């Protein structure tokens, strides 16, 4: 249910930056979605058609880059994607670990056309 | 001419801005606000009412109840004699900063020390929406099972305190406490945790004492 406001936010951010640059059209929007961000891109794409209609972003291609979650071991320095049933370090089995990637939810860049 | 522009902006930045305004309103009134999250039926409303009892008048408390529909939970709080407002999200699976901003004027903030916001029962997204509160609190109840940190890591990442509730049920349901707490520790090292039973009252005093300290230290 929450992908509707997310889609509105993406449009608002893209339009604001495009306007500042004097764009006549937004052709592409690059978005980063971390695996731990609690959002999925399928329905964002669906809402886009309705929400962006009539704006300079209506034909924009939304490009989602999914960022897998990444842990870093505080003992041996291993950087890894955890297994399903444990987050512990696969190399030294240490439980002293930190989430270091995978929580992103950002508009990275837009591609625009200027007259 | 085609051109690429770097943006690097958080998609929830608009929500964050409203959250900052909420925080300013709370701070101006000198009230400490807790965003309480959990799955449906984890025991949130019961825990709020038992917290009120355990506080024994040490803090003046109010609640904001978030639900998809109904005002059942707000009425329970009103019946217990504390200020309460209900937010119905009308289908939204979480509270956001704008919804909370709409509820703030209905509470006498100046006359309160503590407000607990009961978020919509949901383990997926509420932690992603900053409300401007001072503390995010997660309630994990024993019957939900010991694998929840592994299945819903985002919620465990986004909180500053954890309540393990319904511990009176430990003799009746399989729950590996070590496995559960290991998962929590690896997602959120050092997370303050209180095992409690709202039913027997076990652990409620330790939680309430800690909460009083936190509110006073603000
Ligand atoms: N055994 C036991 N049952 C509890 C405890 N706390 C709450 N319950 C029961 O759990 C059920 C749900 O409690 P609520 O407080 O309504 O839970 P909630 O999280 O507010 O529910 P929603 O707002 O509907 O998501 C009720 O039947 C409570 O009596 C507890 O510590 N032990
Ligand atoms: Mg409730
Ligand atoms: Zn290691
Ligand atoms: Zn949601």
């Amino acid at each position: 249910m929450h992908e509707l406001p997310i889609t509105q936010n993406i449009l608002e951010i893209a339009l604001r930056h495009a306007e500042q640059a004097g764009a006549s059209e937004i052709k592409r929007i690059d978005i980063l979605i971390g695996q731990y961000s609690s959002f999925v891109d399928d329905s964002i794409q669906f809402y886009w058609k309705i929400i962006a209609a009539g704006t300079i972003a209506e034909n924009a291609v939304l490009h989602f880059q999914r960022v897998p979650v990444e842990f870093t071991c505080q003992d041996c320095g291993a950087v890894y994607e955890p297994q399903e049933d444990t987050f512990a370090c696969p190399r030294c089995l240490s439980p002293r670990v930190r989430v270091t990637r995978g929580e992103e939810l950002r508009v990275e860049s837009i591609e625009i056309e200027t007259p | 001419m085609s051109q690429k522009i770097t943006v690097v902006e958080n998609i929830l930045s608009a929500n964050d801005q409203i959250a900052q305004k909420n925080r300013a309103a709370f701070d101006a009134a000198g009230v400490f606000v807790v965003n309480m999250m959990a799955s449906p039926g984890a025991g949130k409303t019961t825990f709020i009412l038992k917290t009120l009892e355990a506080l024994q008048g040490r803090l003046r408390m109010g609640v904001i109840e978030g639900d998809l529909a109904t005002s059942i939970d707000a009425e329970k709080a009103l019946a217990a004699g504390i200020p309460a407002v209900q937010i119905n999200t009308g289908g939204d699976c979480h509270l956001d900063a704008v919804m909370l901003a709409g509820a703030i004027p209905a509470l006498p903030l100046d006359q309160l020390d503590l407000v607990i916001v009961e978020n919509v029962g949901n383990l997926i997204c509420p932690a992603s929406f900053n409300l401007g509160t001072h503390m995010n609190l997660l309630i994990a109840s024993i019957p939900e099972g010991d694998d929840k940190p592994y299945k819903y890591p985002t919620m465990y990442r986004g909180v500053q305190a954890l309540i393990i509730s319904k511990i009176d049920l430990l003799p009746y349901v399989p729950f590996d406490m070590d496995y559960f707490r290991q998962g929590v520790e690896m997602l959120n090292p050092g997370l303050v945790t209180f095992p409690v039973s709202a039913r027997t009252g076990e652990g409620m005093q330790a939680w309430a004492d800690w909460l009083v300290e936190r509110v006073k230290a603000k």
Side-chain angles (χ1 to χ4, degrees):
Chain A
M1 221 357 247
H2 52 228
E3 272 76 14
L4 179 59
I6 294 293
T7 313
Q8 285 164 333
N9 287 346
I10 294 171
L11 179 63
E12 184 273 317
I13 291 168
L15 288 177
R16 180 158 35 81
H17 285 264
E19 203 168 291
Q20 278 164 14
S24 54
E25 191 191 347
I26 301 177
K27 301 176 79 171
R28 174 183 164 120
I29 303 175
D30 276 278
I31 298 158
L32 226 56
I33 296 196
Q35 189 185 332
Y36 274 13
S37 75
S38 80
F39 298 96
V40 287
D41 51 59
D42 317 6
S43 32
I44 295 176
Q45 197 83 59
F46 168 81
Y47 285 123
W48 189 260
K49 290 196 173 64
I50 305 159
I51 294 203
T55 73
I56 60 166
E58 72 179 333
N59 294 318
V61 176
L62 301 189
H63 187 263
F64 295 96
Q65 189 191 337
R66 298 180 193 198
V67 185
V69 68
E70 172 194 286
F71 279 69
T72 303
C73 176
Q74 304 298 293
D75 285 327
C76 79
V79 174
Y80 59 95
E81 254 184 78
Q83 295 168 320
E84 279 195 351
D85 58 350
T86 177
F87 302 125
C89 175
R91 192 156 82 193
C92 74
L93 303 179
S94 169
R96 295 199 333 109
V97 300
R98 293 278 192 283
V99 175
T100 43
R101 230 160 99 88
E103 299 183 293
E104 300 78 356
L105 184 66
R106 292 202 302 266
V107 177
E108 281 293 275
S109 62
I110 56 176
E111 210 176 288
I112 58 167
E113 196 64 42
T114 44
Chain B
M1 199 184 76
S2 213
Q3 190 186 344
K4 187 175 168 178
I5 299 179
T6 306
V7 175
V8 193
E9 183 168 329
N10 188 320
I11 291 175
L12 292 174
S13 60
N15 180 75
D16 289 344
Q17 282 167 21
I18 309 287
Q20 273 172 23
K21 286 190 187 159
N22 291 346
R23 171 67 77 97
F26 298 143
D27 287 343
V31 62
F32 187 86
V33 186
V34 177
N35 174 15
M36 171 185 288
M37 298 172 282
S39 57
K44 297 181 290 297
T45 306
T46 310
F47 179 75
I48 289 173
L49 298 177
K50 290 292 173 184
T51 298
L52 178 69
E53 278 177 28
L55 286 172
Q56 292 176 315
R58 283 176 288 171
L59 299 173
R60 298 168 298 171
M61 178 175 147
V63 299
I64 297 176
E65 294 287 348
D67 281 289
L68 299 178
T70 81
S71 54
I72 296 172
D73 284 356
E75 274 155 26
K76 282 182 188 163
L78 287 169
I82 56 173
V85 308
Q86 182 77 48
I87 301 175
N88 284 138
T89 64
D92 266 341
C93 41
H94 59 267
L95 293 178
D96 65 26
V98 175
M99 296 179 209
L100 196 71
I104 292 173
L107 279 183
L109 285 193
D110 286 335
Q111 295 157 41
L112 299 173
D113 307 305
L114 169 70
V115 170
I116 299 185
V117 180
E118 179 177 338
N119 215 311
V120 179
N122 176 359
L123 270 193
I124 319 260
C125 64
S128 302
F129 292 85
N130 185 356
L131 301 181
T133 53
H134 299 91
M135 179 172 89
N136 282 358
L137 175 71
L138 179 65
I139 303 198
S141 69
I142 296 298
E144 293 168 49
D146 52 23
D147 57 358
K148 292 302 166 285
Y150 304 91
K151 287 189 176 166
Y152 301 97
T154 307
M155 292 295 285
Y156 285 83
R157 290 280 301 154
V159 297
Q160 292 83 46
L162 171 69
I163 304 291
I164 305 175
S165 74
K166 309 193 188 182
I167 54 168
D168 57 290
L169 297 178
L170 276 171
Y172 311 106
V173 285
F175 189 97
D176 184 339
M177 188 62 87
D178 288 340
Y179 179 63
F180 173 86
R181 293 191 76 152
Q182 257 169 29
V184 174
E185 177 62 22
M186 288 187 269
L187 287 169
N188 196 333
L191 183 65
V192 184
T193 302
F194 296 94
V196 310
S197 166
R199 178 139 208 182
T200 66
E202 190 181 347
M204 289 303 299
Q205 206 54 58
W207 148 252
D209 292 347
W210 181 81
L211 185 60
V212 170
E213 288 305 310
R214 277 301 305 267
V215 172
K216 294 213 164 127
K218 186 189 151 267

